[in-house]
Amino acid sequence: MKKAYLYFSIIFLLMLILTGCSINSAKGDDDIITLRWVTYDNGSIPLDAKEVIAKANKVSAEKIGVKVDLEFQPSEKINLMMASGEYYDMVFTSSWLNSFDKNAAAGCYLDITELVQRETPALYDTIGKYWDCAKLEDRIYGVPTLKDMGAEEMFRLNADYFEGQKGMTIPEEMTFDELEPFLETYKNDYPDKYPLAMDKSGVPGYLNCVERIVDGIIVIPYDCDDEAVKAIPFWECDELVNKYRTLHRWYSKGYIHPDAATIQSTAADISIPVRGGVAWRGYKGYSNPDQWGFNVKTSIYEGPYLSRSSEQGALFAICAACPEEKAVACLKYLELLNTDQKFRDILAYGIEGTHFEYLDNGTILRLPAGNDRYHTGLYQTGSAVSASVESVSRTILADPDQWKLVYEGYVEDGIYSRAGGFAYDPVNNEDIITAVRAVYSDYSTELCTGTSDPDKVIPEIKKRMEAAGIDELLDDINSQLQVWESQAK
């Protein structure tokens, strides 16, 4: 009897060992916290999102007892959620979509200052000095996404044509105006074509040469020589106005499509030999000849610029109404994303073997299913720095230490805004901001595409904005800037 009892006991223990994972998982189902996480859809929802999220949830449930219902939502839906007070646990926010400063100041986001340091010290240490861009009045209201924190603008040129056929040299760096000989050369060869890709958004990153306090309307130039930091209307920024003048000259010479101000996108026309781009040194994503039909070389013309707005390229904020248990779960999930590369790669690239594979040098390569069914921007689901680096192909390999080099470059070559950390509180002038934005919208598309002559339309803009109260707005911004600067010292 004792032998039989011992036999069945051993069998039972073996069953526990063999099925332990499923038993523990089932037992812990009630303890697993599920979060509603809303991120920006970037125009589409990846087809295999459900399968990828399920894969990630299996890992995060086991490691930290947290799962997510990850929603990819358009900007309009996210803005509506903020306005209506709809509940979520975490949400995508930034300087350019779902305004972080505006919503944090309005009380939409949870103050996590003490919580993040107490509950997730590894996350706190990982973000480091970049917490500043998530602070209002020295309190933390969001978790920055570590990515290209500085903006570097570049031109992407058809190397087969310019270097191979025409014998020109594409330099690693050039000024904005120095692109003109390349445009002129192509136009001479193809009079009926337009060499510079341009849609209604303008050249990508054209406003990154200034710190934007109110859109591209009120700015702080990086190259300001004044002792005091000062916000100015864009028409007083020589660098920006000269860029508009250059674009108009190119438009007048036929380098830019005459309908650029109404074109939604030029992505489908891969024959265009010159495009703008915003990336970082060492980025290989623009270099795939299979994508463009020709070899591409890039030439940096600005940056890297680092400012509050550039560092706020992507953050995740926790709802102010979130109970502490769920807030801690949000932070632990973000900590896992920032410290566990294999886990981060799931939401970044999909399922290994289906959507991507690891290459021998430590980078990843997207597979056809990854390109077609799960191709997201890294910023949509977490830090780029904590994910494996993507190679363009098996022969065009990226540097697995790319981000280390990028961040070292910020220290060595970064151009830092003197107003980094300043956040304007618009509460007293929201009506004026609405009015000047309405004026700006009548001109901005034609300015940034070169369609309008800035020397003719800027006087009109100035007159209308002055009537709308821009001088009062400037006084308020600069008053707050003076207070901020005195406190920063």
Side-chain angles (χ1 to χ4, degrees):
M1 184 71 179
K2 287 183 179 179
K3 288 183 178 180
Y5 176 79
L6 181 61
Y7 173 80
F8 284 113
S9 296
I10 292 172
I11 294 297
F12 181 68
L13 285 172
L14 286 171
M15 290 175 63
L16 283 178
I17 292 170
L18 291 171
T19 62
C21 291
S22 59
I23 289 173
N24 289 337
S25 176
K27 184 178 179 180
D29 278 348
D30 292 340
D31 299 324
I32 293 174
I33 296 174
T34 301
L35 304 172
R36 184 190 181 197
W37 179 16
V38 180
T39 193
Y40 175 50
D41 69 0
N42 197 21
S44 63
I45 300 172
L47 297 173
D48 286 352
K50 184 177 179 180
E51 293 82 354
V52 173
I53 295 165
K55 175 70 173 179
N57 279 340
K58 185 176 180 180
V59 176
S60 62
E62 180 180 337
K63 291 198 170 190
I64 59 171
V66 180
K67 292 182 178 181
V68 296
D69 284 333
L70 177 58
E71 302 175 21
F72 291 87
Q73 297 287 3
S75 58
E76 295 81 5
K77 167 63 176 176
I78 296 176
N79 290 336
L80 184 61
M81 287 174 57
M82 295 298 107
S84 65
E86 182 179 339
Y87 183 81
Y88 56 88
D89 293 303
M90 286 195 297
V91 70
F92 177 90
T93 179
S94 69
S95 59
W96 54 277
L97 182 145
N98 190 29
S99 172
F100 172 79
D101 285 340
K102 176 183 176 182
N103 290 324
C108 296
Y109 302 146
L110 185 70
D111 181 343
I112 60 171
T113 310
E114 285 79 28
L115 200 64
V116 69
Q117 297 177 69
R118 183 180 73 240
E119 300 291 341
T120 51
L123 174 62
Y124 186 76
D125 291 343
T126 298
I127 302 301
K129 71 174 186 175
Y130 293 102
W131 284 113
D132 285 348
C133 75
K135 290 181 179 178
L136 285 180
E137 297 182 355
D138 212 33
R139 306 295 294 177
I140 301 173
Y141 291 93
V143 178
T145 293
L146 297 181
K147 49 188 283 294
D148 45 325
M149 308 303 274
E152 289 190 271
E153 284 67 61
M154 56 191 66
F155 293 120
R156 303 143 53 189
L157 297 94
N158 181 336
D160 293 345
Y161 170 75
F162 289 114
E163 292 192 338
Q165 294 183 36
K166 307 305 293 186
M168 303 175 75
T169 299
I170 300 171
E172 291 185 3
E173 296 185 22
M174 68 169 75
T175 66
F176 193 81
D177 284 2
E178 284 173 345
L179 178 69
E180 188 154 347
F182 294 92
L183 303 176
E184 181 180 17
T185 296
Y186 187 87
K187 189 68 177 180
N188 288 338
D189 282 354
Y190 303 97
D192 297 330
K193 294 186 177 181
Y194 309 97
L196 180 59
M198 184 73 71
D199 60 31
K200 59 188 289 187
S201 300
V203 178
Y206 75 96
L207 283 172
N208 287 338
C209 60
V210 293
E211 171 102 56
R212 285 161 278 174
I213 305 303
V214 179
D215 305 336
I217 304 168
I218 296 177
V219 303
I220 299 176
Y222 282 86
D223 60 353
C224 178
D225 294 327
D226 297 338
E227 289 187 9
V229 181
K230 185 180 180 182
I232 59 174
F234 77 89
W235 57 78
E236 292 182 11
C237 177
D238 291 340
E239 185 173 7
L240 193 53
V241 173
N242 285 336
K243 192 176 288 185
Y244 289 142
R245 288 182 178 132
T246 297
L247 288 169
H248 181 61
R249 182 174 72 249
W250 292 349
Y251 180 88
S252 301
K253 291 185 174 183
Y255 304 153
I256 296 172
H257 197 288
D259 297 330
T262 60
I263 293 173
Q264 293 292 330
S265 173
T266 62
D269 187 356
I270 62 173
S271 68
I272 300 174
V274 183
R275 295 178 180 272
V278 180
W280 50 87
R281 292 169 196 267
Y283 177 69
K284 300 289 187 180
Y286 294 143
S287 305
N288 189 354
D290 294 336
Q291 180 180 4
W292 300 107
F294 48 77
N295 287 293
V296 175
K297 279 193 175 181
T298 59
S299 183
I300 295 171
Y301 67 86
E302 284 182 345
Y305 294 114
L306 290 97
S307 66
R308 183 176 180 84
S309 58
S310 76
E311 292 177 1
Q312 287 180 348
L315 307 94
F316 293 108
I318 299 171
C319 181
C322 192
E324 183 169 316
E325 181 184 33
K326 279 202 160 188
V328 171
C330 289
L331 292 174
K332 288 199 175 289
Y333 194 86
L334 292 172
E335 184 178 57
L336 189 64
L337 278 174
N338 277 275
T339 58
D340 187 323
Q341 189 176 64
K342 288 286 187 180
F343 175 67
R344 175 69 190 101
D345 285 347
I346 298 172
L347 289 180
Y349 302 115
I351 300 169
E352 183 184 357
T354 300
H355 301 104
F356 76 95
E357 65 177 70
Y358 290 102
L359 300 179
D360 290 341
N361 74 334
T363 62
I364 72 99
L365 178 68
R366 291 186 195 264
L367 300 174
N371 285 315
D372 298 338
R373 302 188 64 83
Y374 193 80
H375 200 301
T376 65
L378 295 186
Y379 71 90
Q380 293 172 265
T381 57
S383 290
V385 172
S386 57
S388 297
V389 176
E390 179 184 356
S391 285
V392 171
S393 68
R394 298 184 190 279
T395 55
I396 304 176
L397 297 173
D399 185 341
D401 293 325
Q402 167 189 276
W403 289 111
K404 178 184 177 183
L405 299 174
V406 169
Y407 277 68
E408 286 175 352
Y410 292 159
V411 175
E412 296 171 3
D413 303 317
I415 304 166
Y416 286 82
S417 168
R418 292 174 58 198
F422 171 71
Y424 173 58
D425 183 356
V427 64
N428 296 322
N429 287 300
E430 290 180 346
D431 55 337
I432 297 178
I433 291 175
T434 300
V436 298
R437 278 177 171 160
V439 174
Y440 188 63
S441 67
D442 289 342
Y443 300 89
S444 60
T445 300
E446 294 193 352
L447 271 177
C448 73
T449 57
T451 307
S452 291
D453 182 348
D455 292 317
K456 291 182 179 179
V457 301
I458 284 178
E460 297 175 17
I461 298 171
K462 180 179 178 182
K463 182 176 180 180
R464 290 182 60 186
M465 285 194 178
E466 286 175 345
I470 194 171
D471 290 335
E472 182 181 342
L473 178 59
L474 281 162
D475 288 343
D476 187 40
I477 291 172
N478 283 312
S479 176
Q480 291 188 30
L481 257 174
Q482 290 176 6
V483 173
W484 170 82
E485 192 173 21
S486 65
Q487 292 175 342
K489 291 178 180 179

